[in-house]
Amino acid sequence: MFLRFISGTLLLGVLAAGVAPRVAAQAPATPATPALTVSGTPANDPVKGAALLAEARKALGGEDKLAAIKRLEVKGSITQVTPQQTLDGDLVMQIETPDKLRIDEEISLPGGAITINRTQALNSTEAWEVTEGGNLPGNFGRGGGGRGGDGGFRGGGGGGNAGGRLGGVLAGALGTDANAQQVSPERQAQLKEQQRKSRQTDLARYLVAFLAAPPEPAAWLGTAVTPKDEKADVLEFTTADGTATRLFLEINTHLPLMMTFSGPAPRQGGQGRQGRGAGAQGGNRGGDPAIANPAAQGPVPPPPASGDSAPQGRRGGGGFQAPQATVEMYLGDYKVENGIKMPHHITREVNGEIQEEITLKNFKFNPNFKSTNFTQPKQ
């Protein structure tokens, strides 16, 4: 095994420089030290990566069936967890390959008195979002951006955790237009570009989750055991925002199990819902599963141990920058829809705690979308 829990804490197998992607032998583990013996050189193999992606598409239903999907609509429920509260709602996601995405969320605040409707979209190179609060007083109405980067909120979902996504929801609902007046045109242009890359990154990961189709060739790095004790082949690709994303394919079935990537750490002040699987037993479970070779992805600042204070965000010329953590995006509950296996359960976790949970109940392949479906409405 590559991961073991010792005294309630996850310890990674020690990897020397220049170790191999395959396990040569495994010495008996002692209570103090998880043993892992490997040899050879690190892998960064795009040929094997392409072959494994082909196997993944075969496992999902076949290359021809997946290639025939040009448009996809999925509906379900969403739960977002922040330190202060847990919010539930409905979700509709619409995808049109290769470069269009629309996500509509209807989130009810605790008590049900206020419902926030949020639309995020990517229309080729144009990203936009609109947030509307049903019964918000005063100027708590329509927010054209919902992404108050300088105000400490980080919306758009690109960060990969519910705290960031919901930050954008609330920023929009509480009227980010007033804040926008204090932002220079240069900063506004920068935020717009960040939003575009963030949305393109979201789309890329969902295309991988549903169709095993990353935006660029993926290299095979090696094998690993996930925090949920599943042995996997590990591939890596880079998204539009420059973030390296690791994709874990179950080593026998080749079904996608999870993705990991760097994203903003959740805000402190409370705990999210505890994640399931091995991590639920081990307290702090930050960081990638140990891979049998330490290839490609740059170092990610470790998230704080459970109960510790988070590292503070810093301010530079571009405004507030949130501390980073490793986000784990799990794919599960595969069911056959029209001859294709689709994940019906998607969670995002940080430090073993669920930040966002999506349960999908309805899939439509190649539905007819309105011509204005991905176009930003006039305000």
Side-chain angles (χ1 to χ4, degrees):
M1 291 180 62
F2 295 94
L3 307 181
R4 293 180 185 275
F5 286 93
I6 304 296
S7 302
T9 301
L10 177 63
L11 299 180
L12 304 182
V14 178
L15 300 173
V19 296
R22 296 183 181 275
V23 177
Q26 181 170 316
T30 67
T33 305
L36 174 64
T37 304
V38 291
S39 62
T41 57
N44 187 14
D45 189 342
V47 175
K48 185 167 183 175
L52 285 169
L53 280 174
E55 290 293 332
R57 288 190 287 271
K58 181 179 178 181
L60 290 174
E63 190 78 47
D64 292 343
K65 288 183 179 179
L66 294 180
I69 300 175
K70 305 301 181 183
R71 296 176 303 279
L72 176 65
E73 179 181 88
V74 297
K75 296 181 180 180
S77 60
I78 183 170
T79 298
Q80 297 178 337
V81 182
T82 72
Q84 292 76 28
Q85 56 197 351
T86 298
L87 305 179
D88 296 306
D90 297 318
L91 173 142
V92 178
M93 182 186 304
Q94 297 171 321
I95 294 173
E96 183 172 318
T97 61
D99 56 7
K100 293 180 174 62
L101 169 70
R102 176 171 175 147
I103 301 176
D104 292 282
E105 299 171 345
E106 183 178 286
I107 303 293
S108 297
L109 299 187
I114 296 176
T115 298
I116 294 177
N117 295 284
R118 184 189 190 196
T119 298
Q120 306 170 78
L122 173 70
N123 186 10
S124 187
T125 59
E126 178 191 16
W128 57 272
E129 63 185 80
V130 172
T131 301
E132 295 178 322
N135 297 310
L136 296 175
N139 66 349
F140 286 10
R142 183 173 181 130
R147 183 189 179 91
D150 285 349
F153 293 105
R154 181 183 176 90
N161 65 75
R165 291 171 58 84
L166 188 61
V169 174
L170 298 181
L174 298 177
T176 56
D177 290 343
N179 291 335
Q181 295 175 2
Q182 303 174 14
V183 180
S184 68
E186 293 79 9
R187 179 58 178 161
Q188 290 182 33
Q190 184 184 36
L191 291 174
K192 188 73 173 178
E193 177 68 6
Q194 289 175 352
Q195 185 184 55
R196 178 186 65 80
K197 291 181 179 180
S198 173
R199 202 76 73 245
Q200 288 175 329
T201 295
D202 282 343
L203 173 59
R205 291 183 182 135
Y206 282 123
L207 286 175
V208 170
F210 295 129
L211 306 178
E216 63 169 28
W220 178 74
L221 300 186
T223 59
V225 174
T226 74
K228 298 185 180 181
D229 292 328
E230 299 159 310
K231 191 172 182 181
D233 283 298
V234 184
L235 284 65
E236 184 173 272
F237 60 93
T238 302
T239 52
D241 62 355
T243 302
T245 297
R246 286 178 173 174
L247 169 64
F248 293 70
L249 302 177
E250 206 282 328
I251 202 161
N252 294 314
T253 66
H254 306 297
L255 287 175
L257 295 174
M258 65 181 290
M259 284 178 265
T260 63
F261 45 89
S262 177
R267 294 163 182 253
Q268 297 299 300
Q271 298 297 326
R273 185 161 29 165
Q274 184 69 39
R276 290 180 289 274
Q281 306 299 321
N284 177 31
R285 192 194 62 197
D288 252 346
I291 299 177
N293 61 293
Q297 180 165 304
V300 177
S306 179
D308 291 347
S309 299
Q312 296 299 310
R314 57 187 177 87
R315 287 187 177 274
F320 183 87
Q321 298 180 21
Q324 299 290 290
T326 297
V327 181
E328 299 166 359
M329 179 177 176
Y330 290 94
L331 311 169
D333 191 21
Y334 280 90
K335 298 177 183 177
V336 176
E337 301 281 351
N338 197 29
I340 301 172
K341 289 183 180 179
M342 287 280 151
H344 286 60
H345 193 229
I346 300 175
T347 62
R348 297 179 192 239
E349 300 183 13
V350 177
N351 300 343
E353 294 174 349
I354 294 176
Q355 305 297 310
E356 179 178 85
E357 185 171 15
I358 297 175
T359 301
L360 300 174
K361 303 174 183 177
N362 182 276
F363 288 77
K364 291 183 179 180
F365 301 99
N366 294 321
N368 291 321
F369 294 147
K370 294 181 179 179
S371 60
T372 59
N373 191 60
F374 301 97
T375 303
Q376 183 172 9
K378 296 181 179 180
Q379 300 183 25

